[in-house]
Amino acid sequence: MLKVRKLSVTFRTEQGMVQAVDHVSFDVGEGELLGVVGESGSGKTVSLLAVMGLITDPNAVITGSIQYRGRELVGMKPRDMRALRGKEIAMIFQDPMTALTPVYTIGWQIAEQVLAHEKISKAAAWQRAIDLLAEVNIPNPQEAVHRYPHQLSGGMRQRVVIAMALSCNPALLVADEPTTALDVTVQAQILDLLHKLRRNHGSAIVFITHDMGVMAEIADRMLVMYAGRVVERGTKEELFLQPLHPYTRALLDSIPPLTGEKPKRLRAIPGTPPNLLNRPLGCAFAPRCIERFEKCSAEPALGDGKNAAACFRVSA
Amino acid sequence: MIFSLLQRIGQMLFVMFGISLLVFLIFFATPGADPAARIAGRNASPEVLEAVRKSFGFDQPMYVQYLTMMKKIFITGDLTSFVNRGWKVVPAVMDTIPVTLSLVFGAAILWVVFALIIGIVAAATRGSWIDKILMMLGLIGISMPVYWLGEVMNLLTQSRYHDTWLFSWVPPLGYKNFSDDPKGWFLTLVIPWITLSILYIGLYGRVLRAAIVESLQEDYIRTARAKGLSETRILLRHALRTSLVAFVTLFGLDFGALVGGSALLTEVVFGLQGVGKLTYDALLNLDLPIIMTTVLYASFFVVMANAVVDILYMMLDPRVRTA
């Protein structure tokens, strides 16, 4: 349903052009959960903000193609994009503490979105808000609709944000690290909730995270991003059991094992991600890669297969 | 909500009491100065001095003096000015209040309406030439001193161009009572309103634009965009609404100060007998009872305006309500 082809996002800055997303391509099928992993600054959030049409920086240049159910989103009229956003494609944000407008009740904010997209009465929209709050397991929803964001805990606010995203039954849900800002116990509850909602609503979800543990729990297929590019693509099982790209392997190595002897120190990846202002030629991961060889000074391409990695060790 | 409201009003009364006590002490208990001599004025005869002592109870303990003074101002209202030979102070101040209130209220309406328009339009078109021109006009408005602007206005509307079609409607300087002549009241005040409000339109417009632009950077604005709301709705319902707190704070302070006498320059330029003008004249004559009454009145207004602002806060920002 979502086809992204050669999507690039470049920001003009005083120091020069910063290519935050570089020729990224991926697909999302109906009802599928695609996980996107990568370090901070790997371009995962920016590429999905581009899908949402939420890059408002006048210095950003977006090229490539984003097709949603056959409609091209790149260069779409703002009015048409607005009609799609919040109704068919909804988004859940990382920090629930600041994602809600502080001066309105949560019921008002949910109803606002429903009223923006559907021709129903205010009372009906309000009732929808109550039903949605019940669906995301907020206790006593009749009362809770009258609460203001500051009166709720972080976990509760994230439920409200999720309820809001679901309010128009979107076909595609983009979740940008929805559990990162929460306690571990609350994280588990939110993941359970997303599982349940996915079954009930049948929405496809693109889930961004840097937490491999979260990925292992929910994803169907995964993308691994590094320095603005997709370096590996595959089903969750393949990716966890037979990672192809050295970066993916390094990411998995940095997770403490559940069974067996625990290592004294976790294996961190040496070095830092490259500066996107002057990206080195060739494979961006090469300077940190323990398996690099002569070929790595050229640019590796990502194969077309279901499982593919942009690495000469794989294709060679 | 009701409780915090009552609490706020209680606080206000307490502050007012404190101010009256402080003002009293400054005027009547400053060591080394004889308040009777000051009230009686320069070159007063011994008989007058004696009469002042008796009338204000200066032979009695301090708290009696305080109570006598408060009684004279608030209950019997028979505080007399000895400098101005038996002028009743309280009615004199009361006469000036409607003038100042008319001036400041009218100007406040003008400046709030225009500052809102300028702030919103500039924030909506931020970075464009419209924004730049509006902000430049605002800066010019802030830079023009009110006494100069007032004189220029007078020059234009009273003498130079008074006989042209543009300004022939402007009546001579002075104040007309609203109850006697509503049309005259309005016409005499139009030019003073504009003059007084221009500074504040510029200032508030700029402050509001900055506040809106800042809140447009917030996360909840991105959420509002993700909800698929129109840009107008995002600007007015989300960004403007959360920016009003700064606007209201500023408004409370300026409004209170203006009603309390800061509109002096405008009053003098346009020959309006307001509170500022009265205080100014009293200061020239060292007329202690009048100074004391207007100082009390002014501080009460500042305190009241602040209480109103706090109550507005409660309505604007739910986070204040429970705190």
Side-chain angles (χ1 to χ4, degrees):
Chain A
M1 66 189 292
L2 186 72
K3 252 186 176 171
V4 177
R5 289 293 173 267
K6 291 187 178 162
L7 174 69
S8 294
V9 183
T10 313
F11 293 96
R12 279 189 292 260
T13 67
E14 280 177 23
Q15 286 86 39
M17 306 292 265
V18 173
Q19 187 139 33
V21 177
D22 188 3
H23 292 83
V24 164
S25 302
F26 61 90
D27 295 298
V28 183
E30 299 278 348
E32 184 182 48
L33 201 153
L34 176 73
V36 183
V37 277
E39 288 167 76
S40 309
S42 60
K44 49 196 194 312
T45 300
V46 175
S47 50
L48 289 200
L49 282 177
V51 171
M52 292 292 294
L54 283 178
I55 296 181
T56 46
D57 189 335
N59 289 313
V61 182
I62 303 171
T63 57
S65 153
I66 304 169
Q67 287 203 342
Y68 169 78
R69 291 191 166 157
R71 295 171 69 187
E72 179 58 52
L73 302 190
V74 175
M76 189 183 227
K77 275 195 224 133
R79 172 182 288 273
D80 297 336
M81 191 66 222
R82 235 174 12 238
L84 218 58
R85 203 156 55 206
K87 178 158 176 59
E88 301 210 24
I89 311 176
M91 187 153 184
I92 302 170
F93 293 98
Q94 182 171 354
D95 189 356
M97 305 310 275
T98 54
L100 294 164
T101 308
V103 296
Y104 297 115
T105 62
I106 55 174
W108 189 94
Q109 298 191 49
I110 297 174
E112 184 188 29
Q113 181 168 356
V114 178
L115 289 170
H117 294 291
E118 295 177 27
K119 285 200 165 75
I120 60 174
S121 70
K122 279 193 175 155
W126 195 255
Q127 186 55 46
R128 172 94 62 92
I130 295 174
D131 296 343
L132 283 161
L133 290 180
E135 199 182 343
V136 295
N137 301 332
I138 285 186
N140 212 347
Q142 268 94 351
E143 290 233 341
V145 276
H146 298 291
R147 299 208 165 265
Y148 288 94
H150 73 277
Q151 295 169 317
L152 302 174
S153 67
M156 284 296 155
R157 286 191 214 186
Q158 195 59 297
R159 287 164 201 267
V160 173
V161 173
I162 293 172
M164 203 148 80
L166 292 174
S167 61
C168 295
N169 247 320
L172 177 65
L173 195 59
V174 176
D176 183 7
E177 308 206 24
T179 57
T180 307
L182 304 173
D183 288 343
V184 180
T185 45
V186 182
Q187 277 188 19
Q189 292 168 14
I190 296 289
L191 288 179
D192 279 348
L193 178 66
L194 280 173
H195 254 313
K196 184 186 108 187
L197 295 172
R198 197 179 148 210
R199 273 201 307 276
N200 297 350
H201 291 255
S203 314
I205 302 180
V206 180
F207 195 103
I208 307 176
T209 184
H210 55 248
D211 186 336
M212 284 299 225
V214 169
M215 276 295 87
E217 191 159 335
I218 56 168
D220 297 326
R221 282 193 316 120
M222 286 173 64
L223 287 184
V224 182
M225 285 189 73
Y226 187 79
R229 291 183 196 153
V230 175
V231 293
E232 183 161 0
R233 173 180 64 218
T235 60
K236 175 175 77 184
E237 289 73 19
E238 300 270 0
L239 230 133
F240 273 95
L241 298 175
Q242 288 178 311
L244 297 172
H245 198 281
Y247 178 62
T248 316
R249 279 203 289 277
L251 274 184
L252 289 169
D253 279 345
S254 63
I255 306 171
L258 279 177
T259 53
E261 198 189 334
K262 292 210 169 68
K264 284 234 169 59
R265 280 181 68 95
L266 290 173
R267 298 241 311 268
I269 306 175
T272 50
N275 183 353
L276 294 175
L277 255 173
N278 52 68
R279 149 200 293 283
L281 289 171
C283 173
F285 186 62
R288 304 170 76 185
C289 183
I290 43 173
E291 297 171 45
R292 68 172 171 271
F293 63 123
E294 315 83 64
K295 268 189 138 181
C296 296
S297 53
E299 174 81 53
L302 185 69
D304 292 328
K306 209 162 183 276
N307 298 300
C311 180
F312 292 113
R313 288 278 181 203
V314 178
S315 40
Chain B
M1 173 93 183
I2 302 259
F3 177 72
S4 29
L5 228 151
L6 287 176
Q7 203 183 18
R8 190 64 192 82
I9 292 171
Q11 269 174 19
M12 180 182 86
L13 293 176
F14 183 76
V15 170
M16 284 178 166
F17 168 71
I19 289 174
S20 72
L21 202 63
L22 201 68
V23 169
F24 170 79
L25 288 176
I26 288 171
F27 281 107
F28 292 91
T30 319
D34 180 9
R38 278 201 260 158
I39 291 177
R42 290 174 202 125
N43 310 320
S45 64
E47 292 82 45
V48 175
L49 266 178
E50 197 46 47
V52 171
R53 282 220 171 82
K54 223 178 161 99
S55 146
F56 287 90
F58 286 136
D59 44 1
Q60 282 165 334
M62 205 57 103
Y63 73 92
V64 181
Q65 289 179 29
Y66 171 76
L67 291 177
T68 315
M69 191 70 200
M70 291 304 122
K71 192 183 98 192
K72 274 173 181 296
I73 295 178
F74 292 111
I75 300 167
T76 49
D78 61 352
L79 187 65
T80 26
S81 156
F82 284 84
V83 176
N84 277 315
R85 286 172 216 297
W87 208 30
K88 292 273 183 246
V89 172
V90 177
V93 174
M94 286 302 161
D95 280 347
T96 61
I97 290 177
V99 181
T100 299
L101 281 182
S102 304
L103 175 65
V104 177
F105 258 107
I109 292 172
L110 272 186
W111 99 54
V112 166
V113 169
F114 281 96
L116 277 175
I117 295 174
I118 287 179
I120 293 169
V121 171
T125 59
R126 60 196 169 283
S128 74
W129 58 271
I130 300 178
D131 174 30
K132 285 186 184 115
I133 286 175
L134 284 176
M135 288 302 100
M136 213 152 69
L137 287 178
L139 203 57
I140 292 172
I142 297 170
S143 320
M144 287 191 295
V146 73
Y147 51 85
W148 176 81
L149 181 66
E151 289 295 1
V152 170
M153 285 287 205
N154 275 342
L155 192 69
L156 292 179
T157 62
Q158 296 291 342
S159 61
R160 198 63 63 82
Y161 296 100
H162 183 68
D163 295 328
T164 61
W165 58 271
L166 197 56
F167 294 124
S168 56
W169 55 269
V170 181
L173 296 183
Y175 177 75
K176 291 199 179 65
N177 269 329
F178 180 73
S179 46
D180 302 339
D181 179 6
K183 190 169 168 234
W185 172 85
F186 183 81
L187 290 180
T188 47
L189 282 170
V190 170
I191 300 293
W193 281 338
I194 295 174
T195 307
L196 181 58
S197 60
I198 280 183
L199 159 71
Y200 295 100
I201 292 175
L203 190 63
Y204 281 56
R206 287 177 69 94
V207 167
L208 185 65
R209 175 199 179 270
I212 295 178
V213 168
E214 196 186 315
S215 51
L216 281 173
Q217 307 297 320
E218 298 281 347
D219 278 358
Y220 55 77
I221 297 298
R222 198 176 52 177
T223 309
R225 290 217 170 88
K227 283 160 83 172
L229 307 178
S230 70
E231 280 300 313
T232 321
R233 193 178 172 91
I234 291 171
L235 185 71
L236 296 182
R237 281 315 194 76
H238 291 264
L240 173 65
R241 180 67 170 66
T242 47
S243 306
L244 282 179
V245 169
F247 193 82
V248 167
T249 311
L250 212 56
F251 182 78
L253 293 174
D254 284 332
F255 186 82
L258 278 179
V259 174
S262 294
L264 165 70
L265 292 173
T266 316
E267 287 172 3
V268 172
V269 170
F270 292 104
L272 301 166
Q273 266 300 329
V275 181
K277 183 77 163 50
L278 183 71
T279 315
Y280 176 70
D281 293 342
L283 279 170
L284 289 183
N285 295 330
L286 275 178
D287 195 340
L288 204 57
I290 293 192
I291 299 175
M292 174 151 173
T293 315
T294 50
V295 165
L296 266 185
Y297 154 86
S299 51
F300 280 9
F301 242 98
V302 173
V303 172
M304 271 199 292
N306 269 305
V308 171
V309 165
D310 284 355
I311 291 164
L312 275 178
Y313 269 172
M314 287 184 211
M315 295 202 252
L316 281 175
D317 192 340
R319 283 167 295 187
V320 183
R321 264 172 242 166
T322 37

